[in-house]
Amino acid sequence: MTDSITVTDNRTGEAVEIPIVDGGISAGELRKLLPGVWFYDPAFMTTALASSSVTYLDGDGGILRYRGYPIEQLAERSSYLEVAYLLVHGELPNAEQLRTWTEDIRMHTYLHDNFRKRFLDGFHYDAHPMGMLVSGIAALSTFYPEAKDVVDPQVRHRQIIRMIAKVPTLAAACHRYSAGMPFVYPDNGLSFTENFLSMMWKVAEPRYEPDPVLAHALDVLFILHADHEQNCGTLAMRTVGSAHADPYIAASAAAAALSGPRHGGANEQVLRMLSQIGHVDNVDAFISDVKAGKGKLMGFGHRVYKNYDPRAKIVKQTADAVFEVTGRNPLLDIALKLEEAALSDEYFVSRKLYPNVDFYSGLIYQAMGFPTGMFTVLFAIPRVAGWLTHWQEMIDQDSKIYRPRQLYVGADRRDYLPLEQRK
Ligand code: CMC
């Protein structure tokens, strides 16, 4: 058996044999045979966007690996900053590399003071933190004009460090602004995640002492959210990056995509849904409504996973550790009942709809005291590492500007009518 396909153009009888390589066939070969005929693939259901060596995802097997390392091992044994290094550099760091990387990130956690004094002050008091974050990441571009030199690897690396370091500071600042609380400067004596918690919650104490269990749980969640191959946000990062816009602008576009309720915004919607259901007794009625097309079961389903999302399993285990400290989130019972009802219901089973990463994460965030508006921001903070890794890989591969084709189905040529002649 040959690992190839043969496509014949029945209009001419011409054929082309295309090898199947790494699970794909080259559209370039088809283009040679079929000039002017485009592949109609709305929502990229069957398109491989890139060759990538960042993240492996087997949706049927429920497998996720960063740079070859199983997500379960990384969640158990690594830290977010080490995982960010792994994503960006392709290999786990040795002790010296990790020390330098951590130090570099730590040295860049501060934001220009204009962010606090001028930029954030411009928002309405109840601005959604995700909207503030999207604009804040884009605004970072104006502080680092050198970032436009995207082909220089050293300049790129500086922006990668800056963005991983500054986004938590920006995220916490968005929260403090909406809570009417003074801005907390980074405490560079704390770890990455502890420092974020300090910037979120510090009040008048000389030094904020984060609960180690909660800091660790958040670090695990950061690991789980750090990358997820070619999702909608990463596509936005790559698309804007392919025009050689600077990485802040591109990451802002990625964060904008992430904010949608079908994507990272789902974690916020899950909490709203659980609150609306209100009681375990209402679960069956809610499931019936979903099956009748009255809304979606948020936190369920995935374009690629047709099996339990491996991240959701780890989130569920992490929830137990968090609830030991914070007390059990009363919405957990509703979530467990929903999961049980859906996983035994023909509608969900036949469509292979399983809980995704967003189903349980919001319960943890809520138990830790985060307002719902911050949930997607908490997804974005670690995903910055994944976006930047894909952006860097794309530029290293010297990718062309992204420019798909369309199948035009609009009006034929027609002449402009003056206003008085139109019906
Ligand atoms: N509740 C009820 N029905 C669903 C759901 C759901 N959550 N998800 C999919 N379906 C149904 C859908 O109606 C369709 O049914 P039918 O074949 O009868 O038309 C079928 O399942 C296939 O769904 P689809 O919409 O074609 O699948 P998709 O791959 O285009 O969409 C999705 C994937 C994630 C957008 C969708 O499952 C969804 O909207 N889920 C809820 C939002 C959510 O939890 N998003 C977070 C995704 S994971 C975090 C991330 O990485 O972004």
Side-chain angles (χ1 to χ4, degrees), residues 1-6 17-25:
M1 191 182 70
T2 325
D3 237 5
S4 68
I5 61 155
T6 300
E17 184 182 351
I18 310 171
I20 301 172
V21 180
D22 297 330
I25 54 162

Side-chain angles (χ1 to χ4, degrees), residues 281-346:
D281 291 349
N282 302 329
V283 164
D284 290 341
F286 178 80
I287 291 280
S288 300
D289 282 352
V290 170
K291 286 159 62 179
K294 299 181 198 157
K296 290 262 190 294
L297 173 50
M298 299 309 286
F300 257 68
H302 198 275
R303 170 62 58 78
V304 185
Y305 289 122
K306 300 301 166 198
N307 199 330
Y308 213 100
D309 181 337
R311 301 169 300 173
K313 272 188 202 148
I314 304 169
V315 176
K316 213 172 158 185
Q317 290 154 11
T318 309
D320 294 336
V322 169
F323 296 157
E324 290 267 316
V325 177
T326 61
R328 196 175 155 89
N329 187 325
L331 296 175
L332 177 66
D333 290 331
I334 301 176
L336 290 169
K337 177 89 194 291
L338 264 179
E339 180 185 340
E340 189 193 319
L343 294 184
S344 56
D345 190 296
E346 204 277 326

Side-chain angles (χ1 to χ4, degrees), residues 43 45 228 231-232 258 260-267 270 290-291 295-306 309 311 347-348 351 353 356-359 379 383:
M45 301 283 287
H228 210 230
N231 54 81
C232 184
L258 187 77
R262 287 173 160 183
H263 194 4
N267 55 13
V270 169
V290 170
K291 286 159 62 179
K296 290 262 190 294
L297 173 50
M298 299 309 286
F300 257 68
H302 198 275
R303 170 62 58 78
V304 185
Y305 289 122
K306 300 301 166 198
D309 181 337
R311 301 169 300 173
Y347 174 95
F348 296 90
R351 289 170 178 77
L353 301 171
N356 59 49
V357 71
D358 292 321
F359 193 66
F379 192 148
R383 183 53 62 85

Side-chain angles (χ1 to χ4, degrees), residues 92-376:
L92 282 170
N94 63 28
E96 178 54 21
Q97 288 164 331
L98 183 61
R99 199 194 56 73
T100 309
W101 170 252
T102 306
E103 197 53 26
D104 284 348
I105 304 270
R106 197 174 277 157
M107 286 301 110
H108 287 88
T109 50
Y110 271 62
L111 288 175
H112 193 288
D113 229 27
N114 278 358
F115 260 96
R116 180 176 57 89
K117 290 189 184 140
R118 306 246 178 103
F119 185 76
L120 289 179
D121 270 0
F123 285 101
H124 203 43
Y125 71 94
D126 61 352
H128 194 290
M130 197 56 191
M132 295 164 85
L133 186 82
V134 168
S135 4
I137 296 176
L140 280 173
S141 149
T142 64
F143 290 85
Y144 304 105
E146 66 158 5
K148 304 214 174 306
D149 188 2
V150 297
V151 291
D152 182 329
Q154 283 179 346
V155 173
R156 279 207 312 260
H157 195 67
R158 269 202 295 283
Q159 314 320 313
I160 289 174
I161 301 260
R162 278 193 180 122
M163 218 186 305
I164 292 174
K166 289 183 198 305
V167 165
T169 314
L170 180 58
C174 295
H175 165 70
R176 303 287 294 202
Y177 179 77
S178 55
M181 298 283 285
F183 185 78
V184 176
Y185 287 104
D187 179 342
N188 290 341
L190 295 172
S191 76
F192 183 87
T193 312
E194 290 170 342
N195 174 46
F196 173 65
L197 290 172
S198 162
M199 293 187 292
M200 281 293 298
W201 309 127
K202 187 171 187 297
V203 186
E205 61 275 47
R207 186 169 212 198
Y208 180 78
E209 299 287 348
D211 184 294
V213 175
L214 301 187
H216 176 69
L218 191 59
D219 207 58
V220 170
L221 289 170
F222 281 177
I223 292 172
L224 300 181
H225 287 86
D227 192 48
H228 210 230
E229 57 118 291
Q230 311 300 330
N231 54 81
C232 184
T234 302
L235 172 66
M237 180 86 197
R238 282 181 173 260
T239 304
V240 178
S242 81
H244 283 191
D246 76 53
Y248 301 102
I249 302 278
S252 159
L258 187 77
S259 73
R262 287 173 160 183
H263 194 4
N267 55 13
E268 185 177 337
Q269 298 308 322
V270 169
L271 249 284
R272 294 192 196 290
M273 173 188 77
L274 295 175
S275 304
Q276 269 163 18
I277 295 172
H279 194 277
V280 282
D281 291 349
N282 302 329
V283 164
D284 290 341
F286 178 80
I287 291 280
S288 300
D289 282 352
V290 170
K291 286 159 62 179
K294 299 181 198 157
K296 290 262 190 294
L297 173 50
M298 299 309 286
F300 257 68
H302 198 275
R303 170 62 58 78
V304 185
Y305 289 122
K306 300 301 166 198
N307 199 330
Y308 213 100
D309 181 337
R311 301 169 300 173
K313 272 188 202 148
I314 304 169
V315 176
K316 213 172 158 185
Q317 290 154 11
T318 309
D320 294 336
V322 169
F323 296 157
E324 290 267 316
V325 177
T326 61
R328 196 175 155 89
N329 187 325
L331 296 175
L332 177 66
D333 290 331
I334 301 176
L336 290 169
K337 177 89 194 291
L338 264 179
E339 180 185 340
E340 189 193 319
L343 294 184
S344 56
D345 190 296
E346 204 277 326
Y347 174 95
F348 296 90
V349 174
S350 63
R351 289 170 178 77
K352 299 191 173 159
L353 301 171
Y354 290 87
N356 59 49
V357 71
D358 292 321
F359 193 66
Y360 286 105
S361 60
L363 289 171
I364 302 185
Y365 297 145
Q366 191 181 57
M368 288 172 79
F370 290 102
T372 36
M374 280 298 284
F375 290 5
T376 312

